Amino acid sequence: MNALLLAVFFTAAPRAEVPAWLDDPAAAQAAAAKTGRPLLVEFHAPWCYSCYYMESNVLSKPAFARAAAGMIRLKADVDGAPGRDLKRRHAVAALPTFLVLDPGGKELGRIAGEQSEPDFLARLAAIRRAGQDPLERDAAALRDKLSAGRAAEAAALVSRLSAARLKGLRARKDWRVLEARLALARAQGPAAAAALEALLGADDSCELVYDVLRAEPAVDALEASRRARLLDAERAALESLAARRLFTPNAQRCADFRSGIRALAGVYEKLGQTEPRAYLLRRTLLFLERMGLKTGQDRNHDDDVRFFLEAAGEDARL
């Protein structure tokens, strides 16, 4: 499909209404084929907390309506047979996952897991650009395979690229981060720790939290002095992330607030820094309290409060 048609698909329809979603995969795919529009699929389930976050904070907002204008939209409930079959067909590994398919059903890109509104919209825009920029297309393909947990396929994709293409890609920060993340996904022991070290110096996104958590066994197995140095680098990176993307207004906050705080608290604990850990948990509880949400108003918020009260040893407040 040529770049001009893709640009039309993604920029059509000037109205910024909150879009309607279809719930029948066959009807949605038929509508995409008939209209020549791309299909945006959200894989979700009623019990999925991250799906609830996306519905409340991203999908119900006017900015998403503008970004999704001109697209057929499908909510695929994986608890039902049609959604489950579609999930299996596209090798979806996590909820929520968003797929962008061309009118013929070919995957153009995917976004896995809960995302803040700016992060989600930026990823959707990157999928749009991938139809026009070959380097962006390579980066999107690598990102998609890593998001789907297909590290072997991701490595094969990189190995097929020419030296000239790789040179152009490695001039891009996002590609360097993706290659380091691929190394972490495939490595074990000291090599995994080295891959994490590279990521700590290259990435400042919310996804860094998952890299730190994924590399925990490898870091724990290092000899004492190197382990301490790497933990200190983790602490610095996570403190910076907390200042920029955790203790911030909702629009800028990492969607998975809890994992970021949990990762930083865990690093403090491993470094024996009990006072910083206790202060972090107190600050977190105060931050959640100052949001002014009443119990029952937002189930993700309620569960975060419960989690951090338990982590702070304040069970009596539950």
Side-chain angles (χ1 to χ4, degrees):
M1 182 166 298
N2 69 45
L4 179 59
L5 283 176
L6 281 174
V8 170
F9 290 152
F10 283 100
T11 57
R15 298 184 67 187
E17 298 174 351
V18 175
W21 292 80
L22 300 175
D23 58 11
D24 180 349
Q29 290 166 334
K34 181 178 180 180
T35 61
R37 295 182 177 187
L39 174 61
L40 174 64
V41 186
E42 182 208 15
F43 290 90
H44 73 106
W47 44 262
C48 167
Y49 270 60
S50 297
C51 305
Y52 171 79
Y53 174 94
M54 291 299 295
E55 182 63 39
S56 300
N57 295 282
V58 179
L59 304 182
S60 59
K61 305 298 182 182
F64 169 73
R66 290 190 292 271
M71 304 177 74
I72 305 298
R73 294 164 293 276
L74 167 67
K75 282 186 176 293
D77 183 349
V78 301
D79 281 354
R84 188 164 54 248
D85 291 345
L86 196 63
K87 175 177 179 284
R88 186 182 307 112
R89 193 185 318 158
H90 289 283
V92 170
L95 296 181
T97 287
F98 298 83
L99 293 189
V100 180
L101 309 176
D102 75 10
K106 178 182 177 183
E107 183 176 330
L108 300 174
R110 70 174 60 198
I111 306 170
E114 59 192 303
Q115 309 274 325
S116 69
E117 184 181 54
D119 289 342
F120 181 84
L121 296 180
R123 293 286 292 274
L124 197 57
I127 294 172
R128 179 191 62 199
R129 291 194 303 271
Q132 306 166 40
D133 178 353
L135 296 183
E136 186 68 52
R137 188 161 54 245
D138 291 336
L142 180 54
R143 186 181 296 111
D144 291 348
K145 292 186 182 303
L146 290 173
S147 295
R150 288 147 41 187
E153 292 181 26
L157 182 154
V158 175
S159 70
R160 291 194 297 269
L161 296 171
S162 68
R165 190 70 156 256
L166 276 173
K167 182 178 179 181
L169 285 163
R170 286 170 178 161
R172 301 164 52 117
K173 177 184 174 182
D174 63 336
W175 180 266
R176 295 195 299 273
V177 167
L178 289 169
E179 279 201 297
R181 194 157 281 136
L182 172 59
L184 177 59
R186 291 175 61 80
Q188 295 181 348
L196 175 63
E197 201 163 14
L199 278 164
L200 292 173
D203 191 22
D204 57 3
S205 74
C206 297
E207 290 186 54
L208 186 63
V209 170
Y210 302 121
D211 300 323
V212 169
L213 295 173
R214 188 177 297 115
E216 272 186 331
V219 175
D220 289 344
L222 294 173
E223 57 89 15
S225 61
R226 188 181 173 201
R227 177 175 180 269
R229 287 195 302 272
L230 190 47
L231 284 172
D232 199 53
E234 290 181 17
R235 177 198 56 75
L238 291 173
E239 285 179 343
S240 174
L241 184 67
R244 292 178 292 101
R245 299 296 306 274
L246 297 180
F247 295 111
T248 56
N250 188 56
Q252 288 81 42
R253 195 177 314 137
C254 293
D256 189 355
F257 173 79
R258 183 193 300 183
S259 290
I261 300 297
R262 180 167 65 88
L264 181 54
V267 170
Y268 283 142
E269 187 171 7
K270 290 179 181 182
L271 287 169
Q273 297 177 350
T274 55
E275 280 303 311
R277 180 182 183 277
Y279 171 76
L280 174 67
L281 295 176
R282 288 195 302 270
R283 181 185 181 190
T284 299
L285 287 167
L286 182 61
F287 179 76
L288 292 171
E289 182 180 320
R290 287 178 173 171
M291 288 182 188
L293 295 173
K294 296 179 180 180
T295 302
Q297 190 172 344
D298 185 300
R299 69 183 191 183
N300 284 0
H301 180 271
D302 291 348
D303 201 47
D304 281 344
V305 171
R306 175 202 59 78
F307 179 88
F308 288 114
L309 283 172
E310 290 180 347
E314 298 191 31
D315 293 30
R317 289 179 59 190
L318 286 170

